[in-house]
Amino acid sequence: MNQSDPKVEAQTARNVTLVGAALDSVLGLIKIVIGLVANSQALIADGIHSLSDLLTDGLVLAANYVARQRPDQNHPYGHDRFETLGTMLLGTLLVAVAGGLIWDSIGRLGQHHQLEAGAIAISVAIFSVLSKEWIYRYTLKVAEKLNSPLLKANAWHSRSDALSSVVVLIALVGNMLGYPWFDQVGTLVIGGMVAHMGASLVWGSLRELVDTALPEADTQAIREQAMQIEGIRGVHRLRTRTMSGRTLLDIHLQVEPHISVSEGHEIGVWVSHQLRSQFDDITDVTFHIDPEDDTETDSPDPTRMRPLRPEVMTLLQARWSSDQIWSGIERTTLHYINERIDVDLFYSRTHLTCEEIEEVQQRLQQAVHDLPWLGQIKVWVGAPNA
């Protein structure tokens, strides 16, 4: 699991984004200048696309800076949603740029211009393909190391630039071969590719913002890992959501109903450790220990809720105070199971035989038979360990 310092991560993301921004600046200016000289609308459009990337690079820098801040009182889960928001805005900008390119290209479909300085234009397109492919691989490597969806989106944005430059290259070659309409068609294809990439980013960000769960296969893998911990009898109400590449989950763990609270909690701690160890993206686990499967109990029925200890002990005191066994009870443990309350009584004296213990249990059970929520009464002989 990635345990790097957020400041180091932010600096690493900043560096790779600045490299990409410098490359976009150089490529954008070269493409526009050569496009004007060569009379290539596709190359000019690709240059505008590269310069527009400076806006997205700035957005990535700002969103990454905020998202890498440590949790605070107002944002106890961290600031990762700012990265998600940045990704959505980046996608929106791409769709807007694509719309402009497509609209301009449609208006020029009937205007055929002969390509000038074709060799230079083709050389620029080839350089663009190679350089954008390099920055794609560089950015993606850093994004995977930091598990950053925003950087991954920016990496794939660079890949879309490389592909668009391939389309420009084809358009330029087609124009030189006597098919000038290749230029406008190439611009349309570029616009479609950019629009598709932008829409994909927006859709993915929206799914994260509305807390869409992990795919069923991932959820099943989490459930299977939790079941490997000794003491787990069942897993239910497993809920997942993502925040900028991090997975947060809530999980209900069913354990043996008569174990202690501390043992149940320790089992939950082990489940949390297991999940964090096996899944690098899981950073927050909230577990709930259950003595039984409460999958169907979305909200408790007030008429079926059982009384808590103060009321239970008051009622038991009223029923058993006249019984001599009551004065020797050192501790009472309540088990809320199957909509009833089982009671364990720890008796400090040790002179009772098995037959006498059985008789005491029956006598105490009979004294509270009219309490509908009361389950089984058990008497344990010998003072319990404090």
Side-chain angles (χ1 to χ4, degrees):
M1 183 169 48
N2 188 4
Q3 298 290 347
S4 300
D5 188 334
K7 291 185 178 180
V8 175
E9 292 183 346
Q11 183 62 43
T12 302
R14 178 175 178 271
N15 291 342
V16 69
T17 305
L18 288 176
V19 171
L23 182 61
D24 289 332
S25 300
V26 173
L27 283 177
L29 292 175
I30 291 177
K31 289 177 185 178
I32 291 176
V33 171
I34 300 301
L36 290 172
V37 173
N39 198 23
S40 171
Q41 183 63 28
L43 193 58
I44 294 174
D46 204 27
I48 295 173
H49 180 201
S50 294
L51 287 182
S52 71
D53 291 349
L54 292 176
L55 295 176
T56 61
D57 290 333
L59 176 62
V60 170
L61 287 172
N64 178 74
Y65 174 78
V66 177
R68 296 291 172 182
Q69 301 301 306
R70 294 185 181 276
D72 54 36
Q73 185 174 358
N74 293 326
H75 304 90
Y77 288 97
H79 299 76
D80 300 90
R81 291 293 195 207
F82 287 97
E83 183 168 336
T84 306
L85 179 61
T87 304
M88 186 172 68
L89 292 177
L90 188 154
T92 303
L93 286 174
L94 289 180
V95 172
V97 170
L101 293 177
I102 293 173
W103 179 259
D104 184 69
S105 179
I106 292 176
R108 293 174 178 270
L109 278 177
Q111 305 174 18
H112 296 163
H113 302 282
Q114 189 62 38
L115 183 67
E116 305 289 343
I120 297 178
I122 289 176
S123 299
V124 170
I126 292 175
F127 175 71
S128 177
V129 171
L130 296 178
S131 59
K132 294 302 290 188
E133 180 66 18
W134 171 79
I135 195 63
Y136 156 74
R137 294 178 181 274
Y138 175 37
T139 306
L140 186 62
K141 182 178 179 180
V142 175
E144 291 176 342
K145 179 181 179 181
L146 302 182
N147 196 24
S148 170
L150 182 58
L151 283 182
K152 289 180 182 178
N154 210 27
W156 279 103
H157 184 200
S158 297
R159 167 59 70 84
S160 74
D161 291 348
L163 295 176
S164 68
S165 294
V166 171
V167 175
V168 171
L169 183 60
I170 295 173
L172 293 173
V173 172
N175 196 313
M176 291 184 64
L177 294 177
Y179 303 98
W181 51 269
F182 265 41
D183 198 57
Q184 282 76 35
V185 173
T187 307
L188 279 174
V189 174
I190 293 171
M193 293 169 57
V194 175
H196 178 267
M197 175 60 65
S200 299
L201 295 179
V202 171
W203 175 245
S205 299
L206 285 174
R207 285 173 54 83
E208 183 171 315
L209 287 174
V210 297
D211 286 337
T212 302
L214 293 177
E216 179 58 33
D218 295 342
T219 303
Q220 182 60 30
I222 293 174
R223 182 177 288 105
E224 291 174 356
Q225 285 294 328
M227 288 296 298
Q228 292 185 11
I229 299 301
E230 189 72 26
I232 295 296
R233 306 179 71 178
V235 173
H236 54 280
R237 291 197 181 189
L238 173 57
R239 299 185 298 176
T240 60
R241 55 193 172 111
T242 58
M243 289 180 61
S244 185
R246 298 191 302 120
T247 297
L248 292 75
L249 64 89
D250 302 327
I251 186 171
H252 283 227
L253 306 171
Q254 184 181 353
V255 298
E256 206 284 322
H258 292 91
I259 63 175
S260 67
V261 173
S262 59
E263 183 179 357
H265 179 267
E266 190 66 15
I267 292 174
V269 171
W270 274 88
V271 170
S272 177
H273 172 73
Q274 173 81 352
L275 296 181
R276 291 168 182 266
S277 300
Q278 297 300 317
F279 302 94
D280 291 341
D281 56 316
I282 294 180
T283 60
D284 190 281
V285 179
T286 301
F287 60 83
H288 179 85
I289 302 299
D290 285 329
E292 55 193 359
D293 190 341
D294 60 354
T295 304
E296 303 300 326
T297 312
D298 293 328
S299 58
D301 181 357
T303 63
R304 302 173 65 180
M305 293 178 65
R306 294 152 292 181
L308 295 178
R309 174 177 286 270
E311 182 178 353
V312 172
M313 296 306 296
T314 297
L315 291 171
L316 295 183
Q317 169 72 21
R319 304 299 177 89
W320 294 341
S321 59
S322 60
D323 197 307
Q324 61 178 358
I325 200 75
W326 182 248
S327 61
I329 298 300
E330 291 287 327
R331 191 180 73 192
T332 303
T333 302
L334 307 180
H335 302 283
Y336 290 74
I337 306 170
N338 297 324
E339 298 187 354
R340 290 178 175 269
I341 303 177
D342 290 343
V343 180
D344 285 349
L345 301 173
F346 293 87
Y347 190 55
S348 60
R349 300 166 191 172
T350 60
H351 65 275
L352 295 179
T353 65
C354 292
E355 291 77 11
E356 289 173 330
I357 293 174
E358 182 69 25
E359 188 275 329
V360 167
Q361 290 180 160
Q362 293 178 3
R363 187 171 71 243
L364 295 177
Q365 191 85 52
Q366 179 61 32
V368 294
H369 73 280
D370 59 323
L371 300 178
W373 41 262
L374 199 61
Q376 189 176 23
I377 307 297
K378 286 188 177 180
V379 175
W380 303 90
V381 173
N385 293 326

